[in-house]
């Protein structure tokens, strides 16, 4: 279990015991004061629960193709489940919520309505139980992105490149090019926060030059290299590790 501080926000996150093809990470944080938070672009989707003044809110946040800034109200607790790249929640495919979100109804008893059924709200400690119930109900499934790679090894049975791209976008909501760009920018930001200089980042990740890197950081991370290195940036959600799946 790890924690990362960002201004007044303190993120705690952990891996799960669930198949990594379904859930990547679980996180939580609490806001003590009113502020704003910068969220880096991401290729995966999140289920986010927030509690403020005894009220529970739940929403599905889609993949994001650019960095965004959002207000964070004081006295709020947040729980997030970051689902694995390519995992599919059947009532709400990722392609339908890119750069957007879907609010879920919450019953008076505090149950979250997904797929027409009320589900007990998970906690940081029991997310695995919640996810397994969604899987058993057939609402949460693994994608077939891995199958695409296997098919590519046998061209005689392979669909056309256009068909593969269409399937990829239908599952993830993003093109393979967008996935590579977002993952690379997150990797660059992580390297800079870990103390690497911009020259090393450019050479390691294949950016053309410093200007190319700076443009990617502004668009996908919302921070400059200097801010990331110095830790002087605004409150920011933790950067995710790039996935090892297709398109990376």
């Amino acid at each position: 279990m790890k924690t990362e501080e960002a201004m007044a926000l303190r993120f705690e996150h952990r891996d799960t015991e669930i198949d990594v093809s379904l859930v990547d990470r679980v996180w939580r944080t609490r806001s003590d004061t009113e502020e704003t938070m910068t969220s880096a672009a991401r290729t995966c989707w999140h289920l986010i629960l927030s509690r403020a003044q005894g009220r529970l809110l739940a929403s599905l946040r889609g993949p994001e193709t650019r960095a965004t800034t959002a207000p964070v109200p004081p006295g709020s607790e947040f729980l997030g489940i970051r689902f694995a790249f390519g995992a599919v929640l059947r009532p709400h495919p990722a392609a339908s919520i890119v750069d957007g979100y879907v609010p879920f109804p919450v019953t008076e008893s505090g149950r979250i309505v997904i797929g027409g059924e009320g589900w007990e709200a998970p906690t940081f400690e029991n997310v695995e139980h919640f996810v397994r119930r969604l899987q058993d109900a057939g609402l949460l499934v693994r994608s077939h992105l891995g199958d695409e790679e296997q098919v590519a090894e046998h061209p005689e049975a392979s669909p056309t490149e256009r068909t593969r791209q269409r399937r990829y976008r239908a599952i993830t909501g993003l093109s393979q090019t967008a996935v590579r760009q977002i993952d690379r920018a997150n990797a660059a930001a992580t390297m800079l926060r870990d103390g690497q200089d911009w020259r090393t980042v450019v050479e390691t990740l294949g950016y053309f030059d410093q200007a190319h890197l700076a443009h990617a950081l502004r668009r996908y991370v919302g921070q400059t290299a200097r801010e990331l290195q110095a830790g002087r940036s605004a409150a920011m959600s933790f950067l995710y590790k790039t996935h090892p799946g297709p398109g990376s």
Side-chain angles (χ1 to χ4, degrees):
M1 187 176 298
K2 300 179 180 180
T3 59
E4 295 185 20
E5 294 189 22
M7 302 294 284
L9 295 177
R10 182 180 178 86
F11 285 90
E12 182 179 4
H13 50 101
R14 67 176 179 86
D15 297 324
T16 74
E17 300 174 357
I18 303 171
D19 189 328
V20 294
S21 66
L22 286 177
V23 175
D24 177 60
R25 190 65 58 88
V26 180
W27 58 266
R28 65 180 173 184
T29 189
R30 176 182 175 85
S31 61
D32 296 322
T33 60
E34 184 172 1
E35 58 182 299
T36 60
M37 181 179 70
T38 298
S39 177
R42 56 177 177 261
T43 58
C44 46
W45 49 275
H46 287 63
L47 176 64
I48 298 179
L49 281 64
S50 65
R51 294 181 184 273
Q53 299 179 347
R55 183 186 181 191
L56 172 66
L57 298 175
S59 65
L60 194 67
R61 308 290 304 192
E64 293 189 352
T65 60
R66 59 187 180 277
T68 57
T69 302
V72 179
S76 297
E77 297 180 353
F78 298 90
L79 169 66
I81 306 173
R82 191 172 75 206
F83 287 84
F85 180 77
V88 177
L89 187 65
R90 281 181 164 163
H92 304 284
S96 67
I97 51 173
V98 174
D99 291 325
Y101 74 100
V102 174
F104 288 135
V106 177
T107 67
E108 292 184 359
S109 61
R111 299 178 73 85
I112 305 169
V113 179
I114 303 175
E117 183 177 349
W119 304 87
E120 182 179 354
T123 65
F124 186 72
E125 292 76 18
N126 71 2
V127 162
E128 287 83 354
H129 176 67
F130 173 77
V131 171
R132 289 191 181 101
R133 291 190 64 200
L134 290 179
Q135 185 182 16
D136 291 343
L139 295 177
L140 179 64
V141 297
R142 300 178 181 87
S143 71
H144 299 288
L145 287 178
D147 296 341
E148 294 293 320
E149 288 187 328
Q150 295 175 11
V151 168
E153 296 177 358
H154 304 281
E156 68 279 1
S158 175
T160 66
E161 179 62 24
R162 180 174 297 181
T163 298
R164 288 198 298 269
Q165 291 177 1
R166 185 166 58 249
R167 289 177 181 174
Y168 189 96
R169 187 183 286 271
I171 292 171
T172 68
L174 303 169
S175 68
Q176 289 177 296
T177 298
V179 168
R180 286 192 292 266
Q181 291 173 340
I182 292 169
D183 278 351
R184 183 167 63 166
N186 273 269
T190 300
M191 291 177 66
L192 290 164
R193 291 212 311 188
D194 288 345
Q196 299 291 324
D197 62 77
W198 68 263
R199 294 178 180 84
T200 300
V201 174
V202 166
E203 181 178 354
T204 302
L205 298 179
Y207 285 102
F208 297 132
D209 51 27
Q210 184 180 16
H212 187 201
L213 169 64
H215 174 76
L217 292 175
R218 286 195 302 270
R219 176 173 180 176
Y220 298 118
V221 183
Q223 307 292 313
T224 67
R226 181 171 297 179
E227 287 172 334
L228 288 162
Q229 289 173 317
R232 296 198 302 267
S233 57
M236 181 176 180
S237 63
F238 61 86
L239 297 164
Y240 68 87
K241 293 181 180 179
T242 55
H243 61 81
S248 60

